[in-house]
Amino acid sequence: MNAHALAVLEFPAVLERVAGRASSPLGRRRVLELRPGTHQTWAQTELQRVEELAQFLAKNRDWVTPEIPDAQAGLERLALEGNVLEPLELYRLGSLLSAGRELDEGLGKAREAMPSLLFLRDALYKDRALEKGVTRVVDEEGAVLDTATKELARIRGGLRTAHNRIVQALEKYLKTLPERIVLSDASVTIRAGRYVIPVRREGRGDVGGVVLDESATGATLFVEPPVAQQMMNDLRALQREEAREVHRILREQTETLRPHLPLLEGSQEALVAFDSLFARARTAQAWEGTAPRLLPHGAGELAVVNGRHPLLLAKGETEVV
């Protein structure tokens, strides 16, 4: 069928309704890409899969589908030798492993009710050790966790100590300054990533150090005094050490996952294929649809029994000829 015929039938508008019942953006996109087919075997297979899933969902309303991540960016980066995954990309690949395992378990328990969906289990990649390895390293916010390595935990412990030491030293230093140059509500703050104290402009010579910022009026200067400079340099050294360790961890995780790329790509495809079926099954339930019996070409007349137009139903029209 050409695009004009589909537009006249309002097929894209119907697909939009179906796609709205997908559980993920990737599943929604897959539904919107659907087009009528002319091969009876393919059509019969698709109808059977949707019908089995719809009947199963009707009897198992508490059955939960896994959250399906979009790990495409991570998969593309894995495909290029030398590239290192970003934390969020790594997290989504871990979520891909989790989703594949959860759907495999769900389909396994329902194998008698949905035999036509068992083909998906062969494509779902399950590796609990690999999944746990990613979970230990990154979280859903894209942060590399202290639990990634003992070395990272040690460095970050040193960073926390260094931050506290600088703040305490500057608070103590503030108390030694003359009242004429210190603001009444003065406290340690951060400017340009470094710890500073606010002082009146006329007190610049008393404090020394480096001016990193000033107030809108110019009356207040934010100064990093000499007492903080060496400690701040030590802190920066720890931050560079942390950045190196984080990069090393991400590179190691990337190289661990890279050999599994084809299996991970297959799992992503299987999850999206399931979500497309899931959206169609939920729609079949909502519209009280049943799978039609397909006839071979030229074998009798087409009969539509109690046919309804989904877009008219959506508008509340019940008596439709």
Side-chain angles (χ1 to χ4, degrees):
M1 298 179 73
N2 59 39
H4 174 71
L6 293 176
V8 171
L9 287 171
E10 297 184 279
F11 187 71
V14 174
L15 282 185
E16 283 284 353
R17 298 273 180 178
V18 180
R21 291 184 167 87
S23 65
S24 72
L26 289 179
R28 171 183 167 79
R29 192 185 312 158
R30 179 63 56 86
V31 170
L32 293 175
E33 292 170 352
L34 289 171
R35 294 296 180 270
T38 57
H39 297 286
Q40 185 170 357
T41 302
W42 169 83
Q44 191 64 62
T45 300
E46 288 293 292
L47 288 170
Q48 182 179 351
R49 289 169 179 170
V50 173
E51 185 176 33
E52 285 181 3
L53 183 52
Q55 291 177 354
F56 176 79
L57 293 175
K59 296 175 183 177
N60 300 270
R61 298 186 180 280
D62 58 343
W63 198 74
V64 179
T65 62
E67 185 174 339
I68 298 174
D70 182 354
Q72 194 57 43
L75 293 171
E76 290 174 0
R77 192 178 288 268
L78 274 183
L80 299 174
E81 287 293 334
N83 273 0
V84 176
L85 291 168
E86 296 294 331
L88 267 178
E89 292 170 342
L90 178 58
Y91 173 79
R92 285 172 185 150
L93 287 173
S95 298
L96 181 60
L97 287 164
S98 300
R101 173 179 52 80
E102 291 170 14
L103 182 58
D104 176 70
E105 292 171 355
L107 292 176
K109 292 175 183 177
R111 57 183 175 274
E112 293 183 3
M114 297 187 290
S116 69
L117 267 66
L118 292 181
F119 78 101
L120 292 171
R121 296 188 70 192
D122 296 332
L124 294 169
Y125 184 47
K126 292 80 64 179
D127 190 323
R128 200 73 169 104
L130 208 59
E131 181 186 338
K132 286 182 177 179
V134 174
T135 304
R136 189 191 73 249
V137 170
V138 289
D139 65 14
E140 61 185 0
E141 301 298 324
V144 177
L145 302 170
D146 292 1
T147 54
T149 63
K150 291 181 179 179
E151 179 63 9
L152 185 60
R154 181 194 67 77
I155 295 169
R156 287 183 172 169
L159 277 169
R160 286 188 287 270
T161 300
H163 280 290
N164 292 334
R165 187 183 297 128
I166 295 171
V167 172
Q168 291 169 4
L170 288 178
E171 287 176 342
K172 183 178 180 181
Y173 178 68
L174 264 174
K175 294 177 182 177
T176 67
L177 295 176
E179 291 185 7
R180 63 183 176 81
I181 67 171
V182 180
L183 303 175
S184 58
D185 58 348
S187 62
V188 179
T189 185
I190 296 177
R191 289 292 188 278
R194 301 179 76 91
Y195 286 97
V196 296
I197 56 174
V199 297
R200 300 184 193 280
R201 179 172 286 276
E202 54 268 30
R204 169 73 179 84
D206 298 76
V207 177
V210 180
V211 176
L212 294 177
D213 199 3
E214 63 180 46
S215 64
T217 62
T220 302
L221 302 178
F222 295 92
V223 181
E224 181 186 57
V227 68
Q229 286 177 348
Q230 185 54 52
M231 288 189 290
M232 195 65 220
N233 290 337
D234 293 341
L235 176 67
R236 284 297 174 86
L238 279 171
Q239 289 173 333
R240 289 191 292 271
E241 193 176 347
E242 177 193 27
R244 286 193 296 271
E245 178 62 8
V246 165
H247 183 76
R248 188 195 69 77
I249 291 166
L250 293 174
R251 185 178 65 247
E252 183 179 88
Q253 285 293 315
T254 301
E255 294 308 317
T256 300
L257 287 168
R258 184 163 278 129
H260 305 272
L261 174 60
L263 296 170
L264 291 167
E265 289 176 327
S267 201
Q268 177 82 90
E269 170 59 29
L271 285 164
V272 175
F274 171 79
D275 201 16
S276 170
L277 291 168
F278 179 72
R280 285 177 271 164
R282 290 183 63 200
T283 303
Q285 286 183 288
W287 293 347
E288 298 181 358
T290 56
R293 182 168 65 91
L294 301 182
L295 299 175
H297 180 66
E301 297 180 352
L302 172 67
V304 179
V305 182
N306 293 327
R308 290 154 295 151
H309 195 300
L311 297 182
L312 293 177
L313 287 176
K315 295 177 182 178
E317 299 285 350
T318 57
E319 296 299 325
V320 181
V321 177

